[in-house]
Amino acid sequence: MALSADSMRCGEFRTSYRADTTIFPTPMSRNFAIAGVLVLVLAPLFLNAYYLNLLIQIGYYGIAALGLNILVGFSGQISLGHAAFFGFGAFASAWLNNTTGLPVILCIPLAGVMTTAVGMIVGVPAARIKGLYLAIATLAAQFILEDFFNRAAWFTGGSSGALADPMSLFGYTFSTDQSYFYLVLAFVVVMYLLGANLLRSRDGRAFVAVRDHYLSAEIMGINLTKYRILAFGVSSFYAGIGGALFAHYLGFVSAEGFTILLSIQFLGMIIIGGLGSVMGTLMGTAFMVLLPEVMDGTAGVVSQFFPGFSQGLAYLKEMAVGLAIVLFLIFEPDGLAHRWKLIKAYWKLYPFSY
Amino acid sequence: MNWELLGQLLVNGVIVGTLYGVVAMCFVLIYKSTQVVNFAQGEFLLIGAWVCWALLVKFGLPFWLGFLVTLAFMFAFGVLLQVVVLRPMIGEPIISVIMLTIGLSIFFQALLSWIFGEFVKPFPEVFSVDSVTILGLNVQPAYIMSLVISLAIMVGFFWFFKYSRMGLAMRATAFDQQVAQSLGISVKHVFALSWAISAMVSSLAGVVIGMVNGVSSALSFYGIKVFPAAIVGGLDSIVGGIAGGLIIGILENVAQFVDSQWLEWGNLYEIVPFYVLVAILMIKPYGLFGTRDIERV
């Protein structure tokens, strides 16, 4: 096994549990992460609004997808209703801002807290059922919440939707793509660090124990009901924050966007990225956001060879999403994160890859 | 109280319910024999209906021939799907299998909308009369046909699983794969066959619904309605699937009646099955006829 993804670098050894559970395994990976953030900080200087828009999308979807990965990849449950939580966060933030007049910077975390409450209510049946039954129960939650969005005009504005003011702080309004990019970047960094930290904590280890073998976990004194509901709570908190960022970016929320298709896309993101991998979540989100855009970009070239490509583009994009999920499940079930590890392992040992 | 409307809706409920029952039965068949939850069941209906529509309208085949060709096509399609896509997934965790069928469902839905368009296309006339009056209630002949076909399918299933050699092999596999294998049953064949039968029978339901309402991608919503039906009846019981389908069908129409008479909320009947689903999962997750060995946590 020359290319084992977990093979350690020469001279790298750990002598304490503390060293074994740091967020970044090596100084190198830490420096790379910091450099990555710095590059992103400079990005608005060079990129136009189109690319910034894509990065912002990756940001807010990535936050919500991380929540789903904590639920699915780390605590071993499944949710087909993540888009409904995402939508609830969006509506909650807009509603708080419109009715109470609280500043948006407070509304976003508060929307996260409200979504957490809803998620925990949905999580109550989850404490008793698992696997397939849970998938179906969350599917029901998706439809029930969607119905609620259409019905509760006081909360969502009904069929006409709700307006969400852009965020402002100390008299500065985050209304352009450039400024909003920094806001989303800040949220992504904070939420991802929180996520990575959660998984090193006692609670995070409890999630993994519940996933790996719930009976053993229970015997070791882990309260299953508590952790199952908690996982739903954490996951909906992330979804709520992501949704709130989405709302204040677009400035307008309507119930149509939060369908089962978006839920499936969220699941697609974490499967393509890699279940149980924090950075993989971001890779998967980027893949899912960029896939349709790349298809858009290449449509002109491809349609010279396949006439009809441009006309069917909307359908082809959806087909590509479905196909990507199927192909990844069959050929790379551990996702992009695993592929990335293999690439790193290859270069670690280069040129003596045996 | 509007008794006539209630009667009409109840008759609709029974007819739609038997169709739900047939689809739920197909869903349960796959789950029971291969332990796969098929989120693409609705797309089987859709594919069957579109193929039959294309054969009838584009190729001008007579109805009975087009219908038989559709069934043969769906049988082959089911086998192919199982062999190519689902066989590599044997032994994978349940979430992967669920996601795989969801991915397939998105793929086929987009593909069919691309080929056939978004709009409802009516089926050519098969019956010469518009509606038949039974006991003072108007019923469309296609619905009567659907009722007859559904009952025939149910009897056929009963015979198949009770007396035929392959049916017994399938039941044995559902009961214990390893033991079945050691007795010389080809589990591979059983898996492929159960997908084939499920696809074929679902397409039958798809054609019947298409004849009444026209064919459109809305058909695949039946695949989602299957979940309440299958859960109410018990996921691993074929009889339960039928009973659950009937219950959900009648419930929907009663909800529509209550809605139109008193509440006037609009789309109550679409959402009621899901509330029932959640309630059943909380109280009695194994459903009415399911096996009680669900791990309680």
Side-chain angles (χ1 to χ4, degrees), chain A residues 72 80 125 127-128 132-133 136-137 139 143-144 147 151 214 224 228 264 267 271 312 315 318-319 322 329, chain B residues 31 37 39 95-96 99-100 102-103 106 110-111 114 118 235 265 267 271 275 281-282 285 294-297:
Chain A
V72 179
L80 287 175
R128 296 185 48 185
L132 150 70
Y133 286 84
I136 296 174
L139 184 76
F143 284 112
I144 289 171
D147 186 56
R151 217 180 275 295
Y214 71 95
L224 280 187
R228 291 212 152 137
I264 294 167
L267 279 165
I271 281 172
Y315 303 118
E318 260 183 62
M319 279 161 69
L329 281 170
Chain B
Y31 178 69
V37 194
F39 275 77
I95 169 179
S96 306
M99 278 312 294
L100 186 90
I102 291 177
I106 302 185
L111 180 69
W114 186 27
E118 298 271 1
L235 254 185
W265 279 359
N267 54 355
I271 205 72
Y275 282 107
L281 282 176
M282 297 283 276
I294 287 157
E295 293 168 276
R296 284 301 199 79
V297 190

Side-chain angles (χ1 to χ4, degrees), chain A residues 281-301:
Chain A
T281 312
L282 211 51
M283 293 184 215
T285 313
F287 184 93
M288 216 51 156
V289 171
L290 296 180
L291 179 69
E293 299 299 327
V294 170
M295 290 180 70
D296 256 342
T298 53
V301 183

